[in-house]
Amino acid sequence: MNKEMILKSYATAKEIYGSFGVDTDLVLEKMDQLSISLHCWQTDDVGGFETPDATLSGGGIQATGNYPGKARNIGQVRADLEKVLSLLPGKQRINLHAIYGDFGGEMVDRNQIELKHFQSWIDWCKKLGIGMDFNASCFSHPRAADGFTLSSKNEENRKFWVEHVRRCRAISAEIGKQLGTPCVHNTWIPDGSKDTPIDRNGHRVLLKKSLDEAMAIDYPKSQMKDAVESKLFGIGAESMTVGSHDFYLGYAISNKKLICLDNGHFHPTEQVGDKISACLQFLDEVLLHVTRPIRWDSDHVVTLNEDLQLIAHEIVRNNFQSRVNIGLDFFDASINRIGAYVVGARSTQKAFLIALLEPTKLLLELEEKGMNFERLAYLEEQKTMPIGAVWAYYLMKSGVPVGPDYVEEIRKYEREVLSTR
Ligand code: RNT
Ligand code: ZN
């Protein structure tokens, strides 16, 4: 599409949306305020840099595929993320896992990490003018090999992981302080049992105790916010997950934490979009891990599907933007990894654009009058409105490739950068 075509179709779209009472210029201003936390771990299949050949292990999460060009060092992760950021409209954040520290070739165990191992990441974010989020890494480690970390009955292991999370939170507070925007620190643990356990309660008692210990220090909300991430099951932990949704929702409510809702972590017929307003009756904020589960928590690249759309609608319809922190969480090693990011992030942005373009007031009026056929009809009509024309104009206005033009950019990056790795 050339510039003229984009402008022309936007002008028409603006008029059409205007007839439904929606101001598209205002919508685009709101789009610029949307900030998505880009997970660093799609660059290298959740390997991290503790050892040169680190790979994801344990915890029932798997990156499948061996597409060439994976990032092998911090410089490459940053270059890849910069490429991704350059192809997205708006201003995003970066979400780092503790295993991605700048360890300078030294073996630094998880209970030894310090701010200095993340200073270069903070400086990099400062240079880019973006915020940063952080995660304790309670997997891919000999002390997680038996399937238990914070809820372990092995006291030495449990203490080790408590110390790791404690340090990660302190680092998070410093990240938020230095960057001037609160760092969301998320705790997810793989703990669970492949076969029928006897002592579910014992592990949950330990998990609660460990979280209390790791979170004993309160940091100002302006610096860091704690989130805890639940899960239904993992491969190798099919019979019981210690950190279930019930457990963490209870923990988050009684300790004023954020619950992290990963849409791959529930029964496939459950929708995270439906959970947001339920959780926000009792919590100040939630964190989202936006992903695409296929049959299980497969962490496929996010696409514009109904689950994602409901999430975006629920946030926008209720003005929850300031109470919902949005992060991506997928790792597909079978396709170009930069392409995976851009598809996933752009799909998420599109879902928000569609939500912002909805004539919500009109739909709500129909609903409240009991005109449910009309509500359904208008909802269906929304699906074929000129969304693409507004999206294309937004991309052009933001100075990033319009429509599928970014595909060529990524292919060029693959030829010139990824293929040389
Ligand atoms: C695993 C969780 C967790 C991880 C990342 C790497 O099932 O979703 O969020 O994906 O922390
Ligand atoms: Zn997740």
Side-chain angles (χ1 to χ4, degrees):
M1 271 203 283
N2 64 33
K3 196 175 163 197
E4 233 164 84
M5 279 163 71
I6 295 169
L7 288 173
K8 222 165 107 188
S9 42
Y10 178 67
T12 312
K14 188 173 156 63
E15 234 179 280
I16 298 173
Y17 280 109
S19 70
F20 284 90
V22 175
D23 179 343
T24 52
D25 290 334
L26 205 72
V27 163
L28 296 188
E29 274 174 36
K30 289 191 183 161
M31 278 301 287
D32 273 337
Q33 285 155 28
L34 177 71
S35 180
I36 298 173
S37 198
L38 296 173
H39 57 312
C40 70
W41 51 94
Q42 163 68 46
T43 56
D44 76 330
D45 320 332
V46 211
F49 299 119
E50 281 177 327
T51 56
D53 52 356
T55 49
L56 175 63
S57 69
I61 51 175
Q62 277 165 28
T64 49
N66 55 358
Y67 197 82
K70 137 179 175 174
R72 310 243 169 228
N73 54 53
I74 290 185
Q76 293 179 354
V77 171
R78 288 186 193 146
D80 289 357
L81 289 171
E82 282 176 29
K83 187 75 214 172
V84 172
L85 289 168
S86 77
L87 295 172
L88 298 176
K91 198 154 219 144
Q92 318 313 326
R93 302 168 62 86
I94 294 296
N95 192 9
L96 202 72
H97 242 292
I99 46 175
Y100 288 79
D102 198 344
F103 303 119
E106 222 184 292
M107 181 56 214
V108 182
D109 212 346
R110 311 259 173 108
N111 62 344
Q112 299 291 326
I113 55 166
E114 292 173 49
L115 175 67
K116 67 175 186 203
H117 302 119
F118 301 92
Q119 191 57 51
S120 70
W121 278 107
I122 303 175
D123 295 342
W124 177 74
C125 284
K126 209 178 280 169
K127 193 184 81 195
L128 296 180
I130 58 176
M132 183 174 158
D133 299 309
F134 200 60
N135 302 261
S137 308
C138 303
F139 50 83
S140 302
H141 189 281
R143 288 193 188 270
D146 67 356
F148 293 95
T149 62
L150 289 178
S151 78
S152 178
K153 289 192 177 183
N154 175 327
E155 186 61 6
E156 227 183 82
N157 286 349
R158 192 186 70 81
K159 282 258 154 67
F160 174 90
W161 292 111
V162 167
E163 183 59 20
H164 176 59
V165 176
R166 204 184 63 75
R167 284 175 181 247
C168 287
R169 293 182 68 249
I171 293 165
S172 300
E174 193 58 37
I175 291 171
K177 198 163 136 195
Q178 288 194 31
L179 294 176
T181 160
C183 170
V184 180
H185 175 262
N186 183 45
T187 303
W188 170 75
I189 58 164
D191 300 29
S193 176
K194 182 180 176 79
D195 224 328
T196 319
I198 304 304
D199 193 13
R200 294 166 196 261
N201 179 58
H203 286 289
R204 292 193 169 123
V205 168
L206 287 168
L207 177 54
K208 182 171 176 295
K209 181 174 166 207
S210 295
L211 291 171
D212 288 347
E213 288 170 10
M215 299 188 187
I217 300 180
D218 250 335
Y219 295 100
K221 253 188 126 180
S222 58
Q223 295 179 5
M224 70 89 69
K225 301 186 270 196
D226 281 298
V228 284
E229 181 178 4
S230 72
K231 189 159 177 167
L232 179 65
F233 84 100
I235 302 288
E238 291 86 355
S239 296
M240 187 270 294
T241 293
V242 185
S244 57
H245 184 56
D246 314 62
F247 177 91
Y248 279 128
L249 186 59
Y251 193 84
I253 292 169
S254 40
N255 295 282
K256 295 202 176 309
K257 304 297 181 194
L258 280 65
I259 184 96
C260 171
L261 302 169
D262 179 312
N263 59 306
H265 289 191
F266 295 89
H267 188 280
T269 65
E270 281 185 86
Q271 289 184 299
V272 158
D274 183 58
K275 297 179 188 295
I276 296 171
S277 64
C279 292
L280 286 181
Q281 302 305 315
F282 306 99
L283 297 172
D284 290 340
E285 291 182 40
V286 299
L287 168 66
L288 298 183
H289 269 188
V290 180
T291 187
R292 180 165 53 111
I294 297 201
R295 302 190 190 280
W296 70 291
D297 182 32
S298 58
D299 291 288
H300 276 64
V301 178
V302 169
T303 57
L304 185 54
N305 61 20
E306 287 204 336
D307 286 337
L308 175 64
Q309 195 56 65
L310 183 63
I311 289 172
H313 273 317
E314 278 298 304
I315 295 170
V316 171
R317 284 173 185 160
N318 298 298
N319 253 317
F320 283 153
Q321 283 91 329
S322 63
R323 298 176 65 193
V324 180
N325 303 270
I326 305 156
L328 302 179
D329 182 14
F330 51 79
F331 26 99
D332 187 338
S334 75
I335 58 173
N336 180 307
R337 293 172 182 78
I338 316 317
Y341 271 121
V342 180
V343 169
R346 281 191 173 206
S347 297
T348 307
Q349 291 178 315
K350 277 184 207 162
F352 278 87
L353 177 64
I354 293 171
L356 286 163
L357 287 169
E358 180 187 82
T360 309
K361 204 167 151 262
L362 171 75
L363 291 167
L364 187 62
E365 269 166 25
L366 296 174
E367 176 165 296
E368 289 180 346
K369 285 185 192 142
M371 297 166 75
N372 291 349
F373 142 67
E374 292 84 346
R375 178 186 63 186
L376 185 62
Y378 274 99
L379 272 175
E380 282 302 286
E381 283 305 306
Q382 290 309 304
K383 294 180 180 170
T384 49
M385 292 280 282
I387 291 144
V390 182
W391 174 242
Y393 174 73
Y394 179 54
L395 295 172
M396 189 180 85
K397 193 168 149 293
S398 310
V400 296
V402 175
D405 288 356
Y406 75 89
V407 175
E408 196 36 56
E409 279 278 325
I410 290 172
R411 288 166 64 135
K412 188 163 163 263
Y413 188 72
E414 175 162 322
R415 282 195 303 275
E416 292 171 2
V417 180
L418 301 179
S419 67
T420 65
R421 288 181 181 164

